[in-house]
Amino acid sequence: QVQVVESGGGSVQPGGSLRLSCAASGRRFSMYSMLWYRQAPGKEREFVAGITLGGQTSYADSVSGRFTISRDSAKNAVIHLQMNNLKLEDTAVYYCNARENKYGGYWGQGTQVTVSQ
């Protein structure tokens, strides 16, 4: 079984920053890619950012230029999401998805990010 654990959520004011982390562990996990999604109240879960084993990154238009996804240089299957210039509309539960192939994957329980005045 693979466990996926997110951390780093919290509350900030608009314009602030937060750094989320996600670690996949358990049986031997062979990373294909790891991704961040988010779900705001009353809305569907949406893609935020992703990174492949080879380091290729992708971002939703809404966060491009403000968020940066990266792999931990020292730890296998650990990624980070640096979120700068946070906006009210970034408020959501952020979920990590760890994949061993192109589809599916394992989900974490989520971490709350709240941006408010």
Side-chain angles (χ1 to χ4, degrees):
Q1 188 69 10
V2 174
Q3 292 81 42
V4 178
V5 179
E6 304 98 337
S7 61
S11 297
V12 294
Q13 293 183 337
S17 298
L18 283 173
R19 186 177 188 241
L20 305 184
S21 297
C22 171
S25 63
R27 65 161 178 82
R28 191 170 182 175
F29 174 72
S30 179
M31 175 184 169
Y32 172 82
S33 65
M34 292 179 72
L35 306 95
W36 287 101
Y37 287 75
R38 67 186 181 187
Q39 188 166 17
K43 295 188 177 181
E44 294 187 353
R45 191 172 297 189
E46 64 177 4
F47 169 76
V48 175
I51 188 166
T52 67
L53 180 65
Q56 290 182 312
T57 60
S58 58
Y59 298 92
D61 290 343
S62 59
V63 307
S64 183
R66 299 188 297 122
F67 291 11
T68 302
I69 190 170
S70 62
R71 288 180 59 198
D72 193 290
S73 59
K75 301 177 182 178
N76 187 40
V78 175
I79 63 169
H80 308 287
L81 185 68
Q82 178 66 41
M83 305 186 296
N84 297 328
N85 190 22
L86 283 160
K87 302 178 179 181
L88 297 175
E89 53 264 39
D90 294 319
T91 295
V93 178
Y94 284 70
Y95 296 92
C96 181
N97 179 253
R99 299 183 181 182
E100 295 182 292
N101 49 54
K102 193 174 183 179
Y103 303 104
Y106 304 91
W107 291 95
Q109 291 299 307
T111 184
Q112 177 70 47
V113 171
T114 302
V115 185
S116 62
Q117 298 282 2

